[in-house]
Amino acid sequence: MASPNQRRSRGSSRSSTSSYTVVYPNNSSSCSATPNTEEIDEGGSQWKPYLYHLQEQAPKPVRILCEPGEYIPDRPPHYGREFHGPISRDTADWFLTNKGEGSYLVRESLRAPGSYTLGMRCNFSTKNFRLFFDGKHYVADKRFDTLHDLVEDGLITMYVEANAADYINAMVAEPIYEKHSKFSLVRENEKNVSLERRDILGSLSETDSCSSKHSDGISEGDASMYEKQHNFKVNTFSGLNWCEYCGNFMWGLKNQGVKCSDCGFGTHKQCSKLMPKDCTPSMRLLKRIFSIDLTTLVKAQNTLTPVVVDRCVEELESRGLEVEGLYRVPGLQDDVDRVRERFDMDGSQAKISTKDFPDINAISGALKLYLRQLPIPLVPFDLFGAFMDAVQNQDDNMRIDALHEAIVRLHETKPAHFHTLKQVIAHLNRVTQFERYNKMSVENISIVFGPTIFRSPTPFGDLHMIEYEKRCIELLILHQSLLFDINHSYV
């Protein structure tokens, strides 16, 4: 069986074989380590080694064992010879003090039989923790497969935070994020690509006034300039990892920091609070299309509006505008699910042609399903009241003016939602122009899309809001060109 020190060595290098050299501030010495980044500057000088070396200096776990052959009654099966049975706190402290830094044992409480305490020696004092086991060992939020790993992580954490408290409090003051992080390269590349696209589109617009993708004036473009919060979640990083915001080592064996589930950015928990709204999601991490935040999806696809909306609208307008009951008649649920699965698996390459789905209602059903499954509705919860208040104005001019103001706020706060809503409403406007064939009047289409586009922020919205939602869709369709002109003023 490997010794604790051997196990610690293996646990500190559980990643790929590529390595780099940690550069000290004075270039006085260096050590080999394995980073978590795929791209780093030559020499790796952006990474700060101080906390890494403190972790290496932390006491190593040393079990205080019972004497061989010593019988300990009622020893729990998940503890070994480090379990000393019901002994007093003073006795445990005597064992730990004599054994020294890093030593640990488990004892049963004398005052509460069946309760167990982990005693550890760190920073020249004894620490006692209530110890639990539910298949994994834990004293707080972190859970470990072995007691040894729990102790090792605790020793590292206590040692580093005791010896570098001031440094840890100040480390966010000198971030490397803007200059050295691999994500700064991503942002710069996105900015350059976006500028190139704008130049191309600008030159096209000079020679072709119809260069826009849709007849409603939505231009081809991308979402690289949309703001998006990172979706940070507590994460256990394998191997050695440095914070990509401040450049400092993320200490510990488990839950060392947080990681954005949308773009993969890893950072200390305290550093994550300072991150700008510049998440650049990756489809590799998202893994699907439906039920994904709209802004997250368009940034990952680098499109102005979601590909699923673009493709469905294109298919519906090519062969569905004259189909009676379009959007009112549901498609077969199995077909709708197959459309969803194809988009989730193939994205923009999903096959949804007549050959694949002869019933156009499967496509219309998939579009409605996509909009209904958005985590944040097309009209976000925080603007729901503004739209509903606007439609309740008694004066026609004030009603349109208030609705326009709500749309401007949508453009300012959720531009991806604005552009998608604009595209959907323009599409519904075209559907109603074929009312003679499809029997879908403005009122009929509004009945269908009111609860699809709007969603009350309260679990059980007032029933009378359904009428306001319908009326709001009617106004958006009837006054589409004016309401979505954000530069227009009604004052």
Side-chain angles (χ1 to χ4, degrees), residues 353-386:
S353 65
T354 305
K355 177 182 177 181
D356 300 283
F357 296 96
D359 183 8
I360 193 64
N361 294 310
I363 310 302
S364 62
L367 178 56
K368 289 188 293 182
L369 179 65
Y370 172 76
L371 296 175
R372 286 198 304 269
Q373 289 187 347
L374 287 173
I376 300 176
L378 199 50
V379 172
F381 294 119
D382 56 352
L383 287 178
F384 178 84

Side-chain angles (χ1 to χ4, degrees), residues 87-298:
I87 62 174
S88 68
R89 178 188 290 255
D90 290 341
T91 301
D93 181 57
W94 183 87
F95 280 125
L96 293 164
T97 302
N98 279 275
K99 194 68 174 180
E101 292 291 276
S103 61
Y104 72 94
L105 58 78
V106 178
R107 62 184 176 87
E108 185 175 9
S109 173
L110 291 174
R111 291 182 294 180
S115 296
Y116 304 100
T117 299
L118 171 65
M120 302 167 54
R121 189 74 179 177
C122 186
N123 297 322
F124 305 101
S125 66
T126 298
K127 316 291 184 183
N128 291 284
F129 302 92
R130 182 79 177 274
L131 186 60
F132 302 92
F133 181 81
D134 61 359
K136 291 185 180 295
H137 301 270
Y138 65 100
V139 297
D141 295 332
K142 298 181 183 182
R143 282 168 161 73
F144 298 84
D145 293 327
T146 68
L147 185 60
H148 178 278
D149 288 345
L150 184 155
V151 173
E152 184 175 13
D153 182 82
L155 291 171
I156 291 170
T157 301
M158 289 188 291
Y159 185 84
V160 169
E161 294 180 357
N163 288 277
D166 292 339
Y167 182 89
I168 291 172
N169 289 334
M171 66 185 181
V172 297
E174 298 182 359
I176 66 162
Y177 179 65
E178 293 297 332
K179 294 183 179 180
H180 297 294
S181 169
K182 65 181 179 180
F183 290 89
S184 66
L185 299 177
V186 173
R187 293 195 307 274
E188 188 63 29
N189 289 337
E190 283 189 341
K191 180 179 179 182
N192 292 336
V193 170
S194 181
L195 291 175
E196 290 175 4
R197 288 185 177 184
R198 290 179 185 179
D199 290 341
I200 294 173
L201 291 171
S203 62
L204 289 175
S205 64
E206 293 177 0
T207 58
D208 185 0
S209 61
C210 298
S211 62
S212 59
K213 181 175 181 179
H214 299 290
S215 60
D216 63 357
I218 298 178
S219 301
E220 290 184 311
D222 60 71
S224 61
M225 304 309 291
Y226 288 169
E227 286 191 344
K228 181 191 176 308
Q229 290 272 21
H230 288 271
N231 186 20
F232 285 117
K233 296 180 180 179
V234 175
N235 188 70
T236 294
F237 297 88
S238 61
L240 304 178
N241 288 263
W242 271 256
C243 172
E244 300 201 65
Y245 180 80
C246 72
N248 282 286
F249 183 67
M250 294 196 284
W251 63 94
L253 303 183
K254 204 173 187 69
N255 297 0
Q256 304 99 320
V258 295
K259 183 177 181 179
C260 178
S261 60
D262 295 337
C263 71
F265 190 88
T267 180
H268 295 110
K269 186 176 181 180
Q270 59 267 47
C271 293
S272 69
K273 300 174 183 177
L274 302 176
M275 284 295 299
K277 299 177 181 179
D278 61 352
C279 175
T280 303
S282 166
M283 286 306 302
R284 178 180 60 84
L285 296 175
L286 299 181
K287 298 180 180 178
R288 65 180 190 273
I289 299 292
F290 280 64
S291 301
I292 295 293
D293 171 68
L294 195 152
T295 302
T296 299
L297 182 63
V298 295

Side-chain angles (χ1 to χ4, degrees), residues 394-436:
Q394 300 301 312
D395 181 82
D396 290 345
N397 291 330
M398 292 180 63
R399 185 185 305 118
I400 298 300
D401 188 25
L403 195 54
H404 179 261
E405 289 179 6
I407 292 174
V408 170
R409 287 175 58 190
L410 179 64
H411 179 266
E412 293 172 346
T413 58
K414 295 277 188 185
H417 288 246
F418 166 83
H419 287 295
T420 306
L421 178 63
K422 182 178 181 181
Q423 180 184 8
V424 169
I425 294 299
H427 165 63
L428 298 182
N429 184 292
R430 289 189 286 276
V431 170
T432 61
Q433 292 173 16
F434 286 79
E435 178 187 355
R436 175 183 175 184

Side-chain angles (χ1 to χ4, degrees), residues 22-79:
V22 177
V23 178
Y24 288 74
N26 298 321
N27 294 322
S28 58
S29 60
S30 64
C31 71
S32 178
T34 303
N36 69 316
T37 53
E38 297 173 0
E39 300 174 7
I40 58 174
D41 294 345
E42 284 190 24
S45 58
Q46 72 268 32
W47 306 118
K48 304 170 187 177
Y50 176 57
L51 297 179
Y52 166 73
H53 289 292
L54 274 184
Q55 170 162 314
E56 290 299 296
Q57 296 164 13
K60 311 303 186 288
V62 179
R63 289 195 302 167
I64 299 178
L65 305 177
C66 296
E67 293 297 327
E70 182 180 357
Y71 173 70
I72 304 295
D74 301 323
R75 173 185 288 160
H78 44 273
Y79 298 134

